[in-house]
Structures are given as C-alpha cells and as structure tokens.
Amino acid sequence: MVPAISMPDPEDPTGAELGLPPTLRLGRQGAVAVLTLARAAKRNALDDTTVEGLHRFFATPPEWAAVVVLDADGDHFSAGLDLNELAERDTIAGLEHSMSWHRAFAAMESGRLPVVSVLKGAVIGGGLEFATATHIRVAETSAFYALPEGQRGLFVGGGASVRVPRLIGAHRMTDLMLTGRVLDAREGQDLGLTHYLVEEGEGFEHALSLALRIAENAPVTNFAVLHALPLIAQGDPAQGYLMESLMAAVASGSPEAKQRMRSFLEGRAGKVGGQE
C-alpha cells in the first residue's frame, strides 16, 4: 500500500494553514490531495466542526491539487452524525443545520476536484450521505451501508433523499429507511452504491491509483465531466445534446487536447485495450 505523505514544500499550505480542524488530516501524493477523516475513536462520526472543515477545504482547495482521495482512519469510513450533535433545536435551527451539511457536500460534489472515496466498515446515515456526494467510490469487503434515521424517529438531512435514490432507486431507499435494513459490501456494489469492490486493506491503494490516473486528464475534461455531465444526464435531451456539443467543442479546441490528439495519431499515446 502506498502511504499518504505530508507536504514537504514550505510553499504548499498544510491542513492547519487551510483552516482544517484536527479531525481532518491532509497529505499529498503528487497532484493528489489525500484528505483523511481522523476520528477513529468515534468511528469517524461527523460533528459540525468536521463538516465545516470539509466545506472550507472543498470551497477553496489547494492550488496544487487536481484530485482528492478521501480516506478514513481506523476500521470505519463514517458512522454518520455524531450523536453529541443531536442537541435540542427548534424547527429553524434544525433546518439551518441540515442545510449546512448540504452546503458542505455540495462544495465537494460540485467543486473543481474529482473525489475518490475509500469506503470500509460503517458507511451509515450521514456517512452514506457523505460518501454518495463523492464522484468515485471504492469499497472494501468490510463496508456496510444503512440509513437508520427511520428507526430513530428522524429523517435524513444530509442529502440522502436526493443522492441515494439516483443510485439505487427510491423504492430501495424506502426499504432501508422503513426497515433498518443493512446492505453488505457486495449488495452495495451490485445495487450501484459503489464503483469498485476490493479486498480488505486494498481500498486506499486502489483509490490512489485511480486518482493518479484521473490527475493525468486534461483539466477541461475533468471540469466537463464534473459539471456538464450531471446537468446533461438530468436535463431535457435536446438541451443535453446542445450542451454536449458545446463542451466537446470547448474541450477539443484546447491546445492540450490538440497536442494529445497529435500524440495519439503519431503513435506516441497508448491505445485502449482490455482490462489489465
């Protein structure tokens, strides 16, 4: 496994200089930022300080970063909302708290950086809401998924009602919330919650290899995939075709795209083959 390394260049900001709380640790692998949830004793439950730190990081990520790998200390990705955050709130305060999570996860999902997450152990409640806002999800065989809010007299508040049905369908989310059903790693993979399923302990290495590959893409291509593709997929087909044509023209017209195409035509770029 390739370990996350700290940033030796004094010109590169550290996590503290970026305003990250102690519950988030920042490392670097070339152009890949490795952001780690560091609350293993709490099964990486998300408190307000951590959510605010995530919002801050993804709203203003370091300039050197092209991709993020989202990892977690310990045996669990995230057990969801820290129960210490379940303070008495009136309706308006509860609304504002939920929307603060929406803003944080939207800053990641709709930011400039592709995010590859490493899922293991508990990915439940707010942890699943957090995970489904990442762009590529690599699960280890220990991962399990649940939305226990319905069993606790609550309703999801971090975006699950929007993101989870898009992945597995509203009827399956209904089952999770009404019955408290827990999905194992294979079930989550088969239903579409994750993109890759690897053996225990192999998640970070696999995620990092994907992130390093993504970092080699032209920035305009990554931008189009993150920002144009979701709008095309969710919108009117006629508008989608037009947006696709516009983005294709923008991407192919860039100097970098022209150089890459010349390399391909001259036989200096690899051809697409089968699985390695």
Side-chain angles (χ1 to χ4, degrees), residues 30-261:
V32 177
V34 180
L35 188 64
T36 303
L37 297 173
R39 300 192 81 204
K42 290 277 192 177
R43 298 206 301 172
N44 293 308
L46 299 172
D47 59 1
D48 287 347
T49 299
T50 303
V51 172
E52 290 167 5
L54 289 167
H55 189 188
R56 189 176 303 113
F57 177 83
F58 286 104
T60 54
E63 289 296 326
W64 51 263
V67 187
V68 176
V69 168
L70 182 62
D71 198 14
D73 284 344
D75 297 328
H76 302 279
F77 175 73
S78 176
L81 172 68
D82 188 330
L83 295 182
N84 290 327
E85 299 291 333
L86 284 176
E88 289 289 335
R89 295 187 179 94
D90 61 23
T91 301
I92 296 300
L95 177 65
E96 291 174 344
H97 185 260
S98 172
M99 293 180 70
S100 72
W101 281 51
H102 292 170
R103 288 191 295 271
F105 296 165
M108 176 172 62
E109 184 179 41
S110 301
R112 72 171 180 84
L113 302 179
V115 182
V116 184
S117 55
V118 182
L119 309 182
K120 56 188 175 180
V123 189
I124 61 178
L128 181 57
E129 293 180 301
F130 183 24
T132 54
T134 64
H135 304 105
I136 302 290
R137 292 173 292 281
V138 178
E140 296 186 358
T141 51
S142 64
F144 58 93
Y145 314 95
L147 292 170
E149 288 85 351
Q151 311 302 299
R152 298 171 181 165
L154 304 172
F155 192 74
V156 293
S161 61
V162 174
R163 294 188 178 96
V164 174
R166 289 176 179 170
L167 298 176
I168 66 174
H171 61 297
R172 291 195 176 97
M173 180 169 171
T174 298
D175 177 26
L176 292 177
M177 291 203 67
L178 289 181
T179 69
R181 178 179 179 179
V182 178
L183 302 175
D184 63 26
R186 171 51 63 185
E187 290 172 313
Q189 173 77 6
D190 290 344
L191 291 179
L193 280 176
T194 58
H195 301 85
Y196 301 88
L197 180 59
V198 300
E199 294 300 318
E200 188 170 356
E202 297 179 1
F204 178 78
E205 184 176 8
H206 194 87
L208 181 59
S209 69
L210 293 172
L212 291 170
R213 186 184 307 174
I214 294 168
E216 295 177 352
N217 294 341
V220 67
T221 299
N222 285 347
F223 176 89
V225 171
L226 294 189
H227 294 275
L229 181 58
L231 296 177
I232 293 170
Q234 297 168 23
D236 174 78
Q239 295 176 349
Y241 289 131
L242 176 59
M243 183 177 291
E244 179 184 86
S245 296
L246 291 172
M247 291 309 306
V250 169
S252 63
S254 69
E256 183 172 2
K258 293 177 181 179
Q259 178 59 49
R260 290 181 182 224
M261 183 56 68

